[in-house]
């Protein structure tokens, strides 16, 4: 089973954690709501400490704790520069938690952690050059090239949702116009469906029925459910999201040239209703199409646990690297799987 690590996935609504082995299996889980008392750094920190202590109290041989944070994590992998759904601003999270937990702590962006998990244990197993695109409320992602997580000079690589795909397009929450996530995200899917419902379009009859005539109650999973059950409008809307997805990943292919794109996040639950149009648009937009190999586009396999599994594995690898460095060695064990000698 190899050394164990705790992974903690911190979002705006929940703190999920688990004990993870060297094969990516979650042996024990716990979950708590993200504190709503202003979501202050101290309150969230208390919750993280509580879930970790709850897990290690069972006596498992845990060697490290990995934190996957929904926000910008500095290149030092210690400081959360900015978290949109929490009050973290230049928060020294690794130092703060390190003072309270008797274990090495490693911090990373949650999308980086999810990409690493899919690379090691999920849909990207065996792929050295992988890009993960997470379609949720917005769009996030992670990059693994040559088997290493690419974080960028300042630690903020992978914010794909804010690539501008439409000059002077729809206004984005980030302040710019035309960002990719305004066209290929869960928010975009629900926005378009609600617009037709609010206009009393006859093509939205089925969606109206599903929410009792209240457009404000419509959610992305409901649109996906309707599409799976044959609703023409829901299928059309998912197809549009998929086409925009394909356009964006063609741009990413031009820049990064991965072998595989792994599509995760809540919207990916639509499967081929989303990925079919994405693959078609990608094939039509890819630079050098017809004269170059084309990346695979696959659905993520690890679901909601990808973040905590990846955070735990990055921490386990990092702790092993620390131990071997202390011993004066130049290589590092990996629980039976090849990983970079610097722990990514």
């Amino acid at each position: 089973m190899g050394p164990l690590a705790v992974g903690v996935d911190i979002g705006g609504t929940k703190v999920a954690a688990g004990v993870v082995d060297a094969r990516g299996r979650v042996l024990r889980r716990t979950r708590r709501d993200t504190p709503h008392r202003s979501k202050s750094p101290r309150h969230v920190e208390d919750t993280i400490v509580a879930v970790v202590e709850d897990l290690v109290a069972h006596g498992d041989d845990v060697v490290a704790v990995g934190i996957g944070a929904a926000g910008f994590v500095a290149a030092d992998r210690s400081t959360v520069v900015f978290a949109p759904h929490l009050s973290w601003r230049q928060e020294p999270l690794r130092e703060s938690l390190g003072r309270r937990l008797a274990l090495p702590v490693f911090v990373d962006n949650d999308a980086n952690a999810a990409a690493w998990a899919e690379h090691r244990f999920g849909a990207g197993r065996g792929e050295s050059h992988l890009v993960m695109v997470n379609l949720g409320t917005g769009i996030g992602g992670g990059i693994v090239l040559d088997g290493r997580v690419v974080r960028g000079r300042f630690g903020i690589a992978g914010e794909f949702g804010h690539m501008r795909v439409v000059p002077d397009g729809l206004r984005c929450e980030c302040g710019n116009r035309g960002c990719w996530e305004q066209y290929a995200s869960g928010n975009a899917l629900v926005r378009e469906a609600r617009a037709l419902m609010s206009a009393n379009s006859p093509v939205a009859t089925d969606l109206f029925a599903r929410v009792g005539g209240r457009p404000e109650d419509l959610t992305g999973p409901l649109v996906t459910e309707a599409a799976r059950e044959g609703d023409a409008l829901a299928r059309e809307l998912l197809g549009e999201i998929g086409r925009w997805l394909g356009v964006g990943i063609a741009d990413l292919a031009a820049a990064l040239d991965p072998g595989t794109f792994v599509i995760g996040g809540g919207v990916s639950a639509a499967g081929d209703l989303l990925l079919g149009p994405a693959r078609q648009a990608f094939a039509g937009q890819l630079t050098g199409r017809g004269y170059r190999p084309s990346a695979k586009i696959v659905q993520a396999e690890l679901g909601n646990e990808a973040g905590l599994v990846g955070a735990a594995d990055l921490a386990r690898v990092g702790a092993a690297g620390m131990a071997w460095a202390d011993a004066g060695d130049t290589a590092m064990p990996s629980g039976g799987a090849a990983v970079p000698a610097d722990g990514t």
Side-chain angles (χ1 to χ4, degrees):
M1 186 165 58
L4 306 179
V6 170
V8 184
D9 185 13
I10 306 164
T13 60
K14 52 82 180 169
V15 175
V19 175
V20 182
D21 72 10
R23 296 182 181 180
R25 298 175 298 188
V26 183
L27 307 181
R28 189 172 293 106
R29 299 168 177 82
T30 189
R31 173 177 173 151
R32 300 195 183 188
D33 292 338
T34 302
H36 289 285
R37 292 174 294 174
S38 77
K39 297 182 183 176
S40 74
R42 181 68 182 188
H43 293 150
V44 179
E45 181 186 310
D46 289 344
T47 302
I48 297 169
V49 170
V51 297
V52 172
E53 290 180 341
D54 179 42
L55 290 169
V56 301
H58 292 271
D60 296 317
D61 185 19
V62 172
V63 299
V65 176
I67 308 295
F72 294 170
V73 178
D76 62 6
R77 295 170 64 189
S78 174
T79 305
V80 181
V81 176
F82 170 73
H85 304 297
L86 299 166
S87 57
W88 287 337
R89 304 292 185 268
Q90 300 294 337
E91 180 66 22
L93 187 61
R94 182 174 181 176
E95 179 183 348
S96 298
L97 292 174
R99 288 195 297 262
R100 302 180 62 182
L101 296 170
L103 290 164
V105 177
F106 297 83
V107 180
D108 213 325
N109 171 266
D110 59 344
N112 286 343
W116 180 250
E118 292 290 345
H119 162 67
R120 292 270 280 131
F121 311 113
R125 289 186 303 276
E127 174 60 71
S128 62
H129 289 62
L130 173 150
V131 171
M132 186 169 184
V133 179
N134 284 319
L135 304 182
T137 302
I139 297 177
I143 307 164
V144 179
L145 299 182
D146 283 328
R148 300 171 186 267
V149 178
V150 175
R151 299 179 177 86
R153 172 63 179 84
F154 303 106
I156 307 174
E159 293 295 328
F160 305 138
H162 299 291
M163 300 187 309
R164 297 179 69 191
V165 297
V166 180
D168 299 321
L170 295 170
R171 177 74 72 181
C172 180
E173 292 177 359
C174 76
N176 290 329
R177 289 186 177 274
C179 292
W180 189 25
E181 68 178 41
Q182 294 302 310
Y183 302 89
S185 66
N187 270 0
L189 176 66
V190 172
R191 182 193 66 227
E192 294 302 306
R194 286 177 177 173
L196 287 166
M197 295 171 70
S198 296
N200 291 313
S201 171
V203 300
T205 301
D206 181 66
L207 296 182
F208 263 120
R210 289 173 186 271
V211 294
R214 294 171 55 86
E216 63 272 21
D217 290 342
L218 189 71
T219 64
L222 282 175
V223 177
T224 297
E225 178 184 283
R228 285 174 171 161
E229 294 176 2
D231 179 65
L233 174 60
R235 286 174 172 257
E236 179 182 339
L237 292 173
L238 276 170
E240 290 179 2
I241 297 297
R243 284 188 287 276
W244 277 113
L245 173 61
V247 168
I249 60 178
D251 288 344
L252 289 174
L256 299 171
D257 191 29
T260 300
F261 285 96
V262 176
I263 311 303
V267 184
S268 72
D272 281 343
L273 291 171
L274 173 80
L275 298 186
R279 294 183 183 113
Q280 185 175 5
F282 176 74
Q285 295 288 324
L286 182 64
T287 301
R289 52 193 175 275
Y291 297 95
R292 57 169 289 177
S294 181
K296 295 183 294 184
I297 301 172
V298 299
Q299 186 175 357
E301 293 181 0
L302 300 181
N304 292 333
E305 292 196 326
L308 74 86
V309 169
D313 196 62
L314 287 168
R316 184 186 62 80
V317 170
M322 289 170 56
W324 277 55
D326 289 344
D329 289 297
T330 57
M332 182 179 62
S334 60
V339 294
D342 63 358
T344 77

